[in-house]
Amino acid sequence: MAVIIPFRARAHGLIRRLSGKAWSCTTQPVLNNQKIRRKVDRFSTKSSNSNTIQPLDSRGFSMAESEKAAEILEKPHLTEEQAGQLVERLYGLKVKSLKPLDSYDDLNFYVKVDGPVPWLHGYTLKVMNGTDSKNKDLIEAQNEMMTFLADRGFQVPRIVPNLEGRDMSLEQLLKKDNGSYSHNIVRLLTYLPGTTYHNVSVTHHLAYEAGAFLARIHEALRDFSHPALHRPEFVWSLKCLPSLENYLHCLKENHHKEINREIIQAFREKVLPCMDDLPQGAMHGDFNDLNVLVEEDPVTPGEYRVCGLLDYGDAIVNPYVFDLAIALMYFMSVVKDPITFGGHLVAGFGSVRVLTSAEWDVLYYCVVARASQSYVLGHYTASIHPQNTEYLMVTAGSVWKFIDMWWGTPKEEIYEQWRDIQKSI
């Protein structure tokens, strides 16, 4: 079945596409006619300094920066008929039906084909935007991570080789209306059946399942590496949390600014000095309720179990506890009793791998750090894309409630509840 992304989640995805991934963590928003230091390529690790003062728009940002954001969001242009022709030309498959899938800056289609095929559930045709298509090494790393996990029994999308035996190809596609061309990486992936975690009734059992699944992913990925996954300036990496100070001016309420400053400073003092003590390696980087697939448990009707993992665009080498923190923040922010729910997720994780004392020391700060990233970068996005303000603030409101709850609850109080949950299971 096709996965339908709900309103809250679409807003959350929009924050990620319009804000964080468009700039590196060394990017400086333009204030008081300061010079810009920003990224042109979303994934580039090379930065350049402007030697001239940039003209500012009405929001206090350079016109160049605003134009670059719009450029990054330009999707490939492809009709359904053209997408079908692309599948047939590149993969030799006879298209039976094809329909667009929800996406923000890429173009995705769900494809069913005629004739005997090795995968009965259909395929996903992915046409990447021109900016991401420039970083072939990173996309290769994502492809290899998916293949590595699939070969070890995990339900993840598999790359389908094209007629030339390659995992992807760079295609020249006509841009919409203006007669120019873009170069876009095209891939075909197996389509995974199921529904997302977000679309089912969540239970403590399912939280435990999700935690255990994430830990098994980590255990498997200990044997995986790729140089392109070292992304020191990727703005959604928790290592880059101090860069949020560059965006705090977008928050209207002084109280919210001060709380986020406290979170950033606590992360700087409590987490960053401990980096060498934290087990790390390649990780998924975006284990949230929209990327985790579930299916009904055949043994226990009405219960669900985790069956798959989607979207490897944030894959990165980082401390594993960052991945757990990201999962906790996203999963806890959509339930009524987040601390209890989080305790069951952590218990599931611990059933596979016990956290080290160093990981326990920093986990509390990492969870709220991810929430701070989402909240602050969401407001920054709204400031440069005001047409999406109402849409984005739906998500921001729920994230602030989580920050307020979490930061207002002492670390030891949360951990004590979690220890009690672990003992009771």
Side-chain angles (χ1 to χ4, degrees), residues 258-282:
E258 289 306 313
I259 292 298
N260 280 284
R261 282 196 185 96
E262 290 178 13
I263 293 168
I264 294 167
Q265 186 58 28
F267 189 88
R268 185 182 280 119
E269 294 176 358
K270 302 290 187 180
V271 180
L272 293 181
C274 303
M275 294 297 294
D276 290 342
D277 299 325
L278 302 173
Q280 56 187 288

Side-chain angles (χ1 to χ4, degrees), residues 8-9 11-13 15-17 19 21 197-198 202 236 238 284-292 314 322-335 338 341-342 345 366-375 377 395 398-399 402 406:
R8 180 200 68 83
H12 209 81
I15 288 173
R16 299 176 58 73
R17 271 75 180 176
S19 61
K21 290 188 179 180
Y197 190 108
H198 182 89
V202 295
W236 283 98
L238 285 181
H284 180 268
D286 197 16
F287 193 90
N288 66 57
D289 54 320
L290 291 174
N291 288 335
V292 174
D314 286 2
F322 286 6
D323 222 17
L324 175 59
I326 290 166
L328 283 166
M329 180 264 156
Y330 285 121
F331 283 89
M332 287 192 295
S333 66
V334 296
V335 295
F341 190 85
L345 193 149
C366 294
V367 171
V368 75
R370 183 49 158 218
S372 181
Q373 280 182 321
S374 180
Y375 186 73
L377 292 177
T395 293
S398 63
V399 173
F402 177 81
W406 187 267

Side-chain angles (χ1 to χ4, degrees), residues 100-151:
L101 295 174
D102 197 5
S103 183
Y104 297 97
D105 46 9
D106 299 325
L107 205 56
N108 297 333
F109 296 91
Y110 175 50
V111 183
K112 287 188 174 181
V113 300
D114 271 329
V117 293
W119 188 252
L120 299 178
H121 303 293
Y123 301 91
T124 302
L125 176 69
K126 298 184 71 69
V127 184
M128 302 196 71
N129 67 80
T131 303
D132 288 355
S133 294
K134 295 174 183 176
N135 198 329
K136 181 182 177 183
D137 289 345
L138 183 61
I139 300 169
E140 284 181 346
Q142 296 164 11
N143 290 348
E144 290 181 19
M145 179 180 280
M146 286 187 285
T147 300
F148 180 90
L149 290 172
D151 288 345

Side-chain angles (χ1 to χ4, degrees), residues 345-409:
L345 193 149
V346 170
F349 188 96
S351 71
V352 177
R353 182 178 78 80
V354 177
L355 291 173
T356 67
S357 59
E359 289 175 314
W360 273 114
D361 287 342
V362 304
L363 179 59
Y364 172 86
Y365 303 102
C366 294
V367 171
V368 75
R370 183 49 158 218
S372 181
Q373 280 182 321
S374 180
Y375 186 73
V376 174
L377 292 177
H379 278 78
Y380 177 59
T381 298
S383 73
I384 61 174
H385 295 278
Q387 70 274 17
N388 294 312
T389 297
E390 182 178 356
Y391 190 61
L392 290 164
M393 290 304 101
V394 170
T395 293
S398 63
V399 173
W400 177 254
K401 288 180 181 178
F402 177 81
I403 292 173
D404 194 44
M405 178 281 298
W406 187 267
W407 198 236
T409 307

